[in-house]
Amino acid sequence: MKKHVLIAAMAFAMSAHVVTAQPEKSAAIATPAAPAKPADSTKKTAQTPASLEMKPIAAQTQAALWASRVLGRYHYSPVPLDDAMSAKIFDSYFDGLDGEKLYFAQADLDQFAALRTQMDDAINNEDLTAPFAIYNLYQKRFAERMAYARGLLKTNFDFSTDETMELDREKAAWAKSEDEIRDLWRKRVKNDWLRLKLAGKDDKSIRETLDKRYDNYVNRIRKLNNEDVFQMFMNAYATAIEPHTNYLGPRSADNFDIAMRLSLEGIGCVLQARDDYTIIREIVPGSPADKSGKLKVGDRIVGVAQGDKPFVDVLGWRLDDVVALVRGEKGSTVRLDVIPGAGGVDAKHMTVTMVRNKISMEEQAAKKSIIKVKENGVERRIGVISLPTFYQDFEARRKGDREFRSATRDVERILTELKKEKVDNVLIDLRNNGGGSLTEAVELTGLFIDKGPVVMQRTAEGRVEVESDTKPGLAWDGPMGVLINRGSASASEIFAAAIQDYGRGLVIGEPSFGKGTVQTLIDLDRFAPNEKMRYGELKMTIAQFFRINGGTTQLRGVTPDIKLPVLTDMDTFGESSYDNALPWVAIKPAQYMPLGDLKELVAPLQKRHEERIANDKDFQFLQEDINEVLKLRKENVISLNEAVRRKERDAQDARSKLREARLAGVSVNQDEPASGPGSAEKRAEGPDPTKPKKSVVAVRGTPRQDDGLQGDERDLQAELAAEKAAKDAKDVMLQEAANILADEVEMLKTDTRMASRVMPYMTVVDSK
């Protein structure tokens, strides 16, 4: 496998290229797996705080210095670590900690103003006291704000006044006084209270629910350790250079490796933290946990033991610490102390003993389905391959394992199955596929073209390299399409762009993310003085990729041939939303021979699509949802007046009732309000104070806004059932993409002359 050796003098090898859209973060829900490093190494890099004061350790100060040397010399667009960069790091760090400006006041920033030009000194001098001091104040302010919020629960709110709360404070100014920030929190608590009140809760229940919720927020942040703080600071540095350069702490690096392999060694449970307990959220079929017959979804894990060693009590532990204990090598034994979920917290414990084994993470693997489209008495079968990520087991491939797991291998197998099932067209669904292995993007393209260039890379030195498919033949030579959305990024864009440039298939959907850069993983542990010390990894941008037509997807993304309704706010989500994104450029095209020219098909297919959705109730409802989200985002406020909110909720419920009736073909009284204790408010809610702001995407079929109980009293089984219902809801975009490809088949089979012009490589059989 091809590798870039960037620092030969330092004698370390790069891992495989990865092209991903967003910075990698520790998963909130983890799956037990074998650690990539010795089990005791984590203890050398992270310390769980005994108090609120966090302090850096030697491994972190050294890792920061090595990371700065690598970034300053070998990044695709290197930026010197000087006072100017220090100011960017300072701003990025505060934004990462408090992007909604709810904890710090202007006086807090003024207190640290002298550090604005000293972040570079902190790294170069191996003294991270300053960034840790900023975090310690943040943690203090967090506790103060939550204490104030809990204190407000003892008071009464007047919901008859006409006041509003700002929903998104990302662009707001820092509070100028303590009174101003307290007023922000008064409104937030008032909004939380009103939401529960509208859901039918009485005052006593509301106080208990919110007090528990705010206490959980405090407990969560208390579980952060110095590795978390260091990673936040280093990511402030890395992303200040360029959006897709990130620092991965030791545990994050392990999780990234697991995600790319789609396989691990463990017991096969997906775990989730709920209050002080680690609960089982999902059990992988065929795994040791499944075969034991003793574990069930909702069971609480309160102790973990290795082999015959004593149990370690894990009640109140943070999730990844529990996962670290459950993980282990294939063939090793782990014992769990479990409280059955069917009983209360005082139910009788049981001990479950399991031998760890290799587990496959199938939820991220390629999957197939067939959509049947009937029109004018003719049925077309559209084979759909959903690909969530471009995965590959790098380590197994490096070792020469002929059965290594990869996206291309799985898709090729599925294509063989779809051929046997006699599908008329194939759709590759890349929606929300944020990228993965560059090699997989190239090899996957090779399944649909004969030999030829797929993508070009330009290094920091200006050297252009062409990545080509070298395997002759096509795994599928029939018509095909690619479905993308704004969440399709990087490797997804490489594949979609190549299919489009070759004229091989139709690209359907909305403009993609616009990420045209290539990253590689650099193991900083190679600089560590001993094996027990871990420095983590850098995911660093080393090149920019270009389409074979010479353009790049950077900033602009891939423009679909057939445009579906845009569900995403393009201004807040995508490469163009980053202030420091690399610019769009073009280079000399590669030498390639297009396989077809689909331009003749585009206009009539787009016209058929627009005529169809003009009379499609699902699309009309979808457009209503989009308009509502855009309206809320533009207004950016929510009323705190109970009468106003009830009116808004009743109007939304009436619309929902009318919508359901229209779909069922039943008349309904539009003036009849849908209300009552079970009604949930539909208005957009304020952001969770412990979570970063995320782009809002309007998607039909997603669950209604919660009633304020999620994460507090909602039963896990009900939560999972709601998620399953959302997944099973009709996917109107997928269905319409299938309709478009069915139209294409009909046009090609009824007009063989057109087929020979647009797809000369394909044999078209006249329909009867």
Side-chain angles (χ1 to χ4, degrees):
M1 183 176 181
K2 186 174 182 180
K3 297 179 180 179
H4 285 265
V5 180
L6 296 182
I7 312 177
M10 295 182 178
F12 67 85
M14 298 299 184
S15 71
H17 286 323
V18 288
V19 276
T20 53
Q22 301 295 332
E24 300 300 323
K25 298 179 181 178
S26 298
I29 301 175
T31 307
K37 304 290 181 180
D40 65 346
S41 62
T42 303
K43 299 177 182 179
K44 303 298 182 180
T45 61
Q47 66 187 70
T48 302
S51 67
L52 292 180
E53 289 292 318
M54 297 281 193
K55 296 180 181 179
I57 59 176
Q60 292 161 354
T61 60
Q62 294 163 17
L65 182 61
W66 278 112
S68 69
R69 291 175 178 175
V70 173
L71 290 170
R73 185 174 179 185
Y74 300 104
H75 192 278
Y76 179 71
S77 182
V79 180
L81 183 58
D82 53 17
D83 287 354
M85 173 52 70
S86 176
K88 292 180 180 180
I89 297 172
F90 184 87
D91 292 339
S92 179
Y93 190 37
F94 270 93
D95 184 61
L97 290 172
D98 188 12
E100 290 289 314
K101 301 177 177 63
L102 292 169
Y103 303 99
F104 290 123
Q106 184 61 51
D108 294 322
L109 273 74
D110 294 341
Q111 175 183 338
F112 290 111
L115 300 179
R116 189 175 181 81
T117 57
Q118 295 179 18
M119 296 293 102
D120 55 330
D121 301 320
I123 295 173
N124 289 326
N125 297 335
E126 298 186 55
D127 183 0
L128 300 180
T129 303
F132 271 75
I134 292 173
Y135 177 81
N136 286 330
L137 180 61
Y138 165 74
Q139 193 161 236
K140 179 182 178 183
R141 291 288 183 259
F142 189 100
E144 291 171 353
R145 306 311 176 207
M146 288 297 107
Y148 178 66
R150 296 177 76 181
L152 288 172
L153 298 177
K154 300 175 183 178
T155 65
N156 295 311
F157 293 100
D158 182 1
F159 295 108
S160 64
T161 59
D162 290 324
E163 65 176 347
T164 59
M165 184 189 81
E166 189 176 20
L167 285 171
D168 181 1
R169 286 185 41 79
E170 185 179 18
K171 296 181 180 179
W174 296 98
K176 293 181 174 59
S177 66
E178 189 67 15
D179 288 341
E180 183 179 342
I181 207 162
R182 281 173 173 255
D183 192 57
L184 289 173
W185 277 97
R186 178 189 64 80
K187 290 183 176 181
R188 295 182 69 78
V189 176
K190 184 177 182 179
N191 180 57
D192 287 346
W193 189 296
L194 180 55
R195 289 173 58 234
L196 293 173
K197 185 180 173 85
L198 291 171
K201 302 269 283 185
D202 59 41
D203 288 355
K204 182 176 182 295
S205 297
I206 292 173
R207 284 191 173 93
E208 291 174 351
T209 298
L210 293 181
D211 189 65
K212 180 182 178 183
R213 179 186 300 175
Y214 299 154
D215 186 47
N216 284 339
Y217 290 156
V218 175
N219 288 335
R220 265 187 263 169
I221 199 169
R222 281 177 177 166
K223 291 178 181 178
L224 297 180
N225 58 33
N226 61 5
E227 182 178 313
D228 300 309
V229 179
F230 178 64
Q231 180 163 296
M232 283 188 281
F233 172 67
M234 288 303 295
N235 265 314
Y237 171 27
T239 56
I241 298 173
E242 181 265 340
H244 304 292
T245 294
N246 303 107
Y247 169 77
L248 306 177
R251 279 189 177 165
S252 294
D254 292 344
N255 290 334
F256 182 84
D257 182 53
I258 290 168
M260 291 301 293
R261 291 200 313 264
L262 285 199
S263 66
L264 45 89
E265 293 175 357
I267 64 171
C269 281
V270 177
L271 305 180
Q272 177 180 355
R274 187 176 286 254
D275 296 331
D276 285 335
Y277 292 95
T278 298
I279 63 172
I280 296 175
R281 180 182 174 85
E282 181 182 336
I283 297 175
V284 179
S287 67
D290 182 40
K291 292 179 179 179
S292 74
K294 297 180 179 180
L295 295 175
K296 293 181 174 58
V297 171
D299 287 353
R300 306 173 183 90
I301 299 174
V302 294
V304 182
Q306 309 301 326
D308 296 328
K309 294 181 180 179
F311 275 103
V312 175
D313 190 314
V314 297
L315 189 66
W317 281 32
R318 53 184 278 166
L319 186 63
D320 57 355
D321 284 333
V322 179
V323 170
L325 286 183
V326 177
R327 287 176 175 174
E329 295 181 358
K330 177 181 177 181
S332 62
T333 300
V334 62
R335 291 182 295 133
L336 303 182
D337 183 8
V338 177
I339 301 177
V345 294
D346 295 325
K348 183 179 179 180
H349 292 219
M350 65 176 179
T351 299
V352 181
T353 302
M354 288 166 287
V355 177
R356 299 177 177 103
N357 203 347
K358 189 169 184 177
I359 310 296
S360 178
M361 298 166 64
E362 290 299 324
E363 72 277 3
Q364 286 295 306
K367 295 180 179 65
K368 74 167 181 175
S369 61
I370 295 177
I371 298 178
K372 299 176 182 179
V373 179
K374 267 191 175 183
E375 188 171 0
N376 299 325
V378 179
E379 180 181 274
R380 307 294 184 191
R381 294 165 59 82
I382 310 301
V384 179
I385 301 177
S386 174
L387 188 65
T389 184
F390 286 79
Y391 51 89
Q392 183 186 118
D393 189 339
F394 297 129
E395 185 65 15
R397 184 168 185 170
R398 186 185 65 81
K399 290 179 178 178
D401 183 351
R402 295 183 178 181
E403 301 302 319
F404 69 89
R405 190 72 185 269
S406 83
T408 302
R409 284 169 171 259
D410 288 347
V411 171
E412 187 171 21
R413 170 183 51 79
I414 291 173
L415 287 172
T416 300
E417 295 171 1
L418 291 175
K419 281 182 180 180
K420 293 179 181 178
E421 295 176 86
K422 300 187 182 304
V423 298
D424 298 290
N425 210 327
V426 167
L427 177 68
I428 308 298
D429 185 357
L430 297 182
R431 289 174 299 170
N432 301 316
N433 182 322
S437 166
L438 175 63
T439 301
E440 288 301 317
V442 174
E443 295 184 353
L444 187 70
T445 304
L447 299 181
F448 300 95
I449 67 169
D450 206 343
K451 295 188 295 183
V454 173
V455 65
M456 299 183 288
Q457 293 186 65
R458 186 172 68 178
T459 66
E461 298 79 22
R463 185 176 65 257
V464 176
E465 300 175 354
V466 180
E467 302 285 345
S468 299
D469 165 44
T470 58
K471 185 178 179 180
L474 290 75
W476 172 261
D477 61 0
M480 67 162 298
V482 183
L483 181 59
I484 61 173
N485 65 2
R486 191 64 165 174
S488 305
S490 210
S492 293
E493 294 173 290
I494 290 174
F495 176 80
I499 294 298
Q500 190 176 61
D501 290 343
Y502 272 105
R504 179 62 183 86
L506 291 168
V507 177
I508 304 168
E510 63 181 2
S512 59
F513 191 90
K515 178 181 175 293
T517 53
V518 182
Q519 287 71 43
T520 195
L521 292 175
I522 300 175
D523 189 354
L524 296 176
D525 292 350
R526 296 178 180 275
F527 306 125
N530 58 67
E531 292 184 358
K532 293 184 178 181
M533 189 171 285
R534 298 189 62 188
Y535 285 171
E537 295 181 351
L538 278 178
K539 181 163 71 69
M540 186 177 76
T541 299
I542 59 167
Q544 186 169 356
F545 66 74
F546 293 83
R547 303 172 64 140
I548 54 177
N549 69 6
T552 178
T553 58
Q554 180 64 16
L555 286 183
R556 301 182 184 179
V558 176
T559 302
D561 300 306
I562 307 296
K563 300 174 180 61
L564 299 183
V566 175
L567 303 183
T568 315
D569 185 346
M570 309 292 244
D571 294 330
T572 60
F573 184 57
E575 189 77 6
S576 57
S577 67
Y578 295 117
D579 295 333
N580 60 342
L582 296 178
W584 184 93
V585 291
I587 62 174
K588 182 180 178 181
Q591 292 184 345
Y592 70 102
M593 181 68 70
L595 296 174
D597 186 353
L598 306 181
K599 292 185 179 66
E600 191 174 343
L601 289 172
V602 171
L605 287 175
Q606 184 75 37
K607 182 180 179 182
R608 287 193 185 192
H609 155 67
E610 291 172 358
E611 289 174 348
R612 183 166 43 243
I613 68 171
N615 300 309
D616 188 292
K617 293 178 181 178
D618 286 312
F619 266 91
Q620 292 170 7
F621 297 151
L622 175 63
Q623 194 60 57
E624 290 175 8
D625 290 344
I626 295 171
N627 294 339
E628 180 68 15
V629 169
L630 293 176
K631 178 175 176 286
L632 290 172
R633 184 177 294 120
K634 183 177 180 181
E635 293 174 351
N636 198 32
V637 293
I638 188 170
S639 175
L640 298 179
N641 181 291
E642 182 178 357
V644 172
R645 290 277 280 274
R646 284 191 182 278
K647 183 178 180 181
E648 291 174 347
R649 182 202 61 186
D650 290 345
Q652 180 62 46
D653 285 344
R655 283 196 298 271
S656 297
K657 190 174 182 180
L658 177 62
R659 176 179 296 187
E660 292 168 4
R662 286 171 63 187
L663 286 173
V666 179
S667 61
V668 62
N669 180 4
Q670 295 186 41
D671 298 325
E672 180 184 348
S675 58
S679 297
E681 180 196 352
K682 283 287 289 188
R683 191 77 170 173
E685 61 176 303
D688 184 325
T690 62
K691 296 179 181 178
K693 173 182 164 294
K694 295 182 179 178
S695 300
V696 179
V697 181
V699 180
R700 172 145 168 73
T702 54
R704 292 163 57 91
Q705 180 187 317
D706 69 76
D707 57 4
L709 306 182
Q710 280 78 344
D712 292 314
E713 299 176 355
R714 186 171 177 177
D715 179 74
L716 178 63
Q717 299 291 349
E719 186 177 307
L720 295 175
E723 290 180 7
K724 183 180 186 301
K727 290 180 180 179
D728 293 342
K730 183 178 180 182
D731 187 338
V732 296
M733 291 300 193
L734 182 61
Q735 180 63 51
E736 180 55 22
N739 291 339
I740 291 168
L741 293 191
D743 286 344
E744 179 190 31
V745 172
E746 190 269 330
M747 291 171 64
L748 293 175
K749 288 192 174 184
T750 56
D751 189 342
T752 53
R753 290 186 178 181
M754 174 190 284
S756 65
R757 291 195 301 271
V758 302
M759 292 184 176
Y761 59 89
M762 187 183 73
T763 301
V764 180
V765 180
D766 288 324
S767 58
K768 295 181 180 179

